[in-house]
Amino acid sequence: MRKNVQNLLTVVVFATAALLASLPGSVLAKTVAEQVPSPSSDDVVYATAHGKRYHRKDCRYAKDASPMSRKDAEAKGLTPCKVCKP
Ligand SMILES: [Zn+2]
């Protein structure tokens, strides 16, 4: 009889531990996801080293382009591509 009680306690302890282990994890993941701002795709443009235009990532002229912020591209005097209209 005493052994059965011990088994029951063990099951309860394990179940509680599993519950506690799952709860903080999900709360933590949610907090981290809320704290890390995902950069808006509107703010990233792609420009080649010697080009005068900046592009969207999928533009056919942006093959060798590097990502940069739209602010940086405009600060360098680059203008939006007429094809992809970033
Ligand atoms: Zn383009």
Side-chain angles (χ1 to χ4, degrees), residues 16-40:
T16 307
L19 186 67
L20 288 178
S22 67
L23 281 180
S26 57
V27 170
L28 185 65
K30 190 165 181 261
T31 306
V32 169
E34 284 170 356
Q35 281 177 346
V36 176
S38 59
S40 168

Side-chain angles (χ1 to χ4, degrees), residues 12-83:
V12 170
V13 166
F14 270 112
T16 307
L19 186 67
L20 288 178
S22 67
L23 281 180
S26 57
V27 170
L28 185 65
K30 190 165 181 261
T31 306
V32 169
E34 284 170 356
Q35 281 177 346
V36 176
S38 59
S40 168
S41 58
D42 284 350
D43 293 324
V44 178
V45 297
Y46 289 77
T48 53
H50 304 291
K52 294 279 189 278
R53 310 266 191 209
Y54 59 85
H55 306 270
R56 288 176 188 273
K57 186 181 184 181
D58 53 357
C59 179
R60 58 185 150 134
Y61 295 117
K63 274 178 190 161
D64 301 319
S66 315
M68 65 177 68
S69 71
R70 184 185 298 269
K71 262 186 201 166
D72 286 349
E74 288 177 349
K76 288 182 180 185
L78 304 180
T79 54
C81 170
K82 294 265 197 303
V83 175

